[in-house]
Amino acid sequence: MARYGILIYSPAPADPMALTPADLEELERYPAQIEALGGRAVTGFAFQPSTVATAVRGDEVVDGTFHDTREVIAGFFILEAPNLDVAIAIARLNPATRDGAVEIRPLLAPPA
């Protein structure tokens, strides 16, 4: 199966502790929905709020995110899916699509 990196974008500053009970219920159902579509979440993590990020650009180190934006990456997971169409169907079910966005990127195969 192909592997995809799924990036979860939320309005800045992203705070996973601000999830509502309804959000949490949707997130609990999500793994079963992924499997029902023929995919598998390999691993995933939510980031701490973007306000605690540290960015490095060249020799400069600054507190906060790397760039000014309305949305920040709130988390990610690795998805195995038979093809991009299934990965898109899985991404559409993610609760983050309501207020933010979900980005799908095919992963390069590891070197042999």
Side-chain angles (χ1 to χ4, degrees):
M1 255 197 279
R3 284 193 169 184
Y4 301 89
I6 308 296
L7 302 172
I8 311 298
Y9 290 85
S10 291
D15 183 358
M17 302 310 293
L19 294 172
T20 68
D23 293 332
L24 295 173
E25 284 179 26
E26 283 188 73
L27 289 172
E28 285 178 22
R29 287 192 305 268
Y30 196 48
Q33 292 172 316
I34 290 171
E35 288 184 24
L37 289 169
R40 182 174 83 87
V42 177
T43 189
F45 299 91
F47 289 116
Q48 291 190 20
S50 57
T51 54
V52 300
T54 301
V56 178
R57 178 182 283 198
D59 293 333
E60 185 181 6
V61 178
V62 296
D63 291 335
T65 58
F66 186 70
H67 55 278
D68 244 353
T69 183
R70 293 177 308 148
E71 294 179 338
V72 295
I73 298 176
F76 70 95
F77 67 96
I78 305 301
L79 171 69
E80 287 183 340
N83 55 53
L84 181 58
D85 289 336
V86 172
I88 291 169
I90 289 169
R92 283 185 169 150
L93 295 173
N94 192 293
T97 60
R98 282 193 320 268
D99 298 329
V102 175
E103 181 177 335
I104 305 160
R105 288 204 195 171
L107 297 177
L108 295 172

